[in-house]
Amino acid sequence: MHPNRDELTALFSRASAHALSFRTSITDRPQRPERSYGEMRQRFEAPVPETGDAGPDVLEELARLAAPGLHATTGPRFFGWVIGGSHPVGVAADWLASAWGQNAGNHTAAPAAAAAEAVAAAWMLDLLHLPRQASVGFVTGATMANFVCLTAARDAVLRHSGWDVEQKGLSGSPPIRVLIGDDAHTTVFSALHYLGFGRDNLARVATDARGAMSMDDFEAKLGEAEGAVIVITQAGQINTGAFDPHQAIVPLARSRDAWIHVDGAFGLWARACPSRASLAQGVEAADSWATDGHKWLQTPYDCGYAFVRDAEAHRRAMTIAASYLPPVNGSERDPSHYVPELSRRARGFATWAMLKHLGRQGVAELVDRHCTLAALMAGLLRAEPGVAILNEVVLNQVLVRFGDAEPADTGDKLTLSTIERLQQDGTCFAGVAKWRDRWAMRLSVIGYSTTEDDIRRSAEAILQCWRDARAQAS
Ligand SMILES: *Cc1c(COP(=O)(O)O)cnc(C)c1O
């Protein structure tokens, strides 16, 4: 039976009230969960419900149970991992995507979803200064965006070697060499694994102190490569924010007929910001690009984009065909022709809404502000004795080492103990990372609501934790 208006109001207004109380308290609450996973597991533990509860009661129970285990990832002083802030405008649009229940697989089943996606795709190509004819797939995140782009890459380079992978499969196919930087993101290796590439198929290119590919080693590895070549570069290293030297890499890779793929999960957005765009110069000459919506664009989870210069190669790799679906060669764009899934969430609505809300200037301002604030944070921390910044802060990532003048293992202990204290303190949240065999605190400035005041307050808390850790150790 269809719920009546009162029942729907009871349900939806409760969801809205809970969202409102969470979002309005986020600025002042500890920037961490109150309970651990183990405690939360016990809290949710229950046998299968034999009979169902009323919708509003279920929602109440969910909100009550979840509350102490929610992380403040949408808070202004959350700097853990590279997690965007799920901007309220994107969230509200995403609620509508759920409420409308559109299956965004094709334009016949969901004309509005397919249209919003097509327009948002064109907007992003414009904002990111990528070839306007490139095709765009809306996926769950950069992991899948890398997978989609690399599927197109694999199939296209094999085709170029005279091998039709759709007909013949992979077994017995000509060799492909994949050149990839030593500091590439771990999920790119996962994507390669899904595609049938093993470690023996990869040539890992040495990286410099920043985590960017060394040109000498790149040239050497390219020279040694036999068969077809795929080059995978990075725009925005996950720890340092470094960019591979695209202006040098791309022409060399081109001269070898390689497919060039760029993992720019967050760093690609530097191209939408005039003050940072030079970092990602040369990227536009690649063949495919992966980025996220749920990082710098602040869409709610999950949302990423796969861009491919050769739309035909993209479609060949991903199109799903059946008699009951619109014709594959129809004149209209179908979302499912560019992604692995058929039935899928209408991610285009939240992307469209965020781009419409921020505009070209808003996106540029966001990236510029985060980079400026990251540099401010680095400066405030570096001024304290015993604290070192391990990376050149070119983007929004800051790597901090405590007890830098101490022997390595003492420095490791002091760094980890400072981070533990900070996570207890809750003024802000930062996580750990290992960089060049040493533990560091990693700060990512990427939430839409972070201000200069948040940075100053957080730097003070971090330094207090460091002083306490040092006092305790001595
Ligand atoms: C976050 C990230 C990924 C993985 O993206 P998901 O959205 O988590 O799937 C890949 N590469 C880089 C550089 C990243 O920062």
Side-chain angles (χ1 to χ4, degrees), residues 128-130 208 210-213 233-237 240-250 262-264 266-285 289 296 364 366-372 374-375 391-397:
L128 297 169
H129 306 285
L130 295 177
D208 63 17
R210 304 167 303 150
M213 277 198 239
T233 66
Q234 185 160 248
Q237 208 279 336
T240 63
F243 288 69
D244 281 326
H246 287 95
Q247 282 171 298
I249 289 175
V250 172
V262 183
D263 175 15
F266 57 104
L268 200 64
W269 291 92
R271 295 179 59 78
C273 175
S275 67
R276 311 285 156 175
S278 63
L279 290 167
Q281 224 164 1
V283 160
E284 65 282 356
W289 307 263
W296 238 330
L366 202 62
V367 173
D368 184 67
R369 167 158 50 98
H370 289 150
C371 297
T372 304
N391 64 320
E392 190 190 330
V393 182
V394 292
L395 204 64
N396 65 326
Q397 302 292 108

Side-chain angles (χ1 to χ4, degrees), residues 141-143 146 185 187 234 236 238 263 265-266 292 294-295:
T143 305
N146 282 315
H185 196 270
T187 58
Q234 185 160 248
I238 192 75
D263 175 15
F266 57 104
D292 268 318
H294 56 220
K295 286 176 180 169

Side-chain angles (χ1 to χ4, degrees), residues 16 34 46 49 59 70 76 81 91 130 175 181 203 224 241 247 269 272 276 303 316 342 352 418 459 468 470 473:
S16 156
E34 286 162 36
L59 218 64
L70 295 176
W81 305 283
V91 171
L130 295 177
E224 288 161 13
Q247 282 171 298
W269 291 92
R276 311 285 156 175
C303 189
R316 262 200 312 270
L342 180 57
W352 180 90
T418 305
D468 292 348
R470 188 179 47 186

Side-chain angles (χ1 to χ4, degrees), residues 153-426:
R154 181 196 65 184
D155 297 1
V157 300
L158 284 176
R159 203 181 170 84
H160 200 68
S161 308
W163 185 269
D164 178 354
V165 73
E166 276 163 81
Q167 181 64 35
K168 298 182 173 172
L170 283 175
S171 180
S173 63
I176 301 176
R177 199 74 175 151
V178 179
L179 268 66
I180 182 166
D182 237 346
D183 287 302
H185 196 270
T186 177
T187 58
V188 185
F189 294 99
S190 303
L192 288 167
H193 175 71
Y194 313 150
L195 286 166
F197 291 104
R199 277 190 285 277
D200 289 351
N201 310 124
L202 311 184
R204 292 181 68 134
V205 177
T207 47
D208 63 17
R210 304 167 303 150
M213 277 198 239
S214 131
M215 279 316 293
D216 286 348
D217 200 44
F218 178 79
E219 281 197 70
K221 294 275 159 51
L222 192 65
E224 288 161 13
E226 281 171 26
V229 175
I230 297 173
V231 169
I232 303 177
T233 66
Q234 185 160 248
Q237 208 279 336
I238 192 75
N239 291 311
T240 63
F243 288 69
D244 281 326
H246 287 95
Q247 282 171 298
I249 289 175
V250 172
L252 280 174
R254 277 270 166 269
S255 69
R256 183 61 175 73
D257 260 346
W259 178 292
I260 306 153
H261 170 67
V262 183
D263 175 15
F266 57 104
L268 200 64
W269 291 92
R271 295 179 59 78
C273 175
S275 67
R276 311 285 156 175
S278 63
L279 290 167
Q281 224 164 1
V283 160
E284 65 282 356
D287 296 292
S288 58
W289 307 263
T291 197
D292 268 318
H294 56 220
K295 286 176 180 169
W296 238 330
L297 190 58
Q298 316 289 322
T299 66
Y301 281 84
D302 45 22
C303 189
Y305 317 106
F307 303 95
V308 181
R309 176 187 293 276
D310 178 353
E312 179 93 26
H314 192 170
R315 278 193 294 273
R316 262 200 312 270
M318 290 293 144
T319 294
I320 299 169
S323 61
Y324 55 82
L325 296 173
V328 168
N329 296 320
S331 57
E332 305 302 340
R333 172 187 185 278
D334 268 326
S336 65
H337 292 173
Y338 304 95
V339 298
E341 308 89 358
L342 180 57
S343 295
R344 51 194 289 282
R345 182 171 188 77
R347 296 187 186 95
F349 288 132
T351 300
W352 180 90
M354 280 314 302
L355 293 170
K356 179 85 176 146
H357 176 62
L358 293 171
R360 198 188 297 275
Q361 289 178 10
V363 173
E365 183 278 329
L366 202 62
V367 173
D368 184 67
R369 167 158 50 98
H370 289 150
C371 297
T372 304
L373 291 179
L376 173 66
M377 174 73 95
L380 292 170
L381 298 178
R382 185 191 282 126
E384 178 83 4
V387 181
I389 304 300
L390 300 184
N391 64 320
E392 190 190 330
V393 182
V394 292
L395 204 64
N396 65 326
Q397 302 292 108
V398 186
L399 281 178
V400 198
R401 173 89 173 165
F402 300 89
D404 188 53
E406 308 288 335
D409 57 338
T410 312
D412 275 347
K413 280 199 196 105
L414 286 167
T415 299
L416 293 174
S417 125
T418 305
I419 295 166
E420 207 179 300
R421 279 164 198 276
L422 185 73
Q423 292 183 354
Q424 276 308 310
D425 171 78

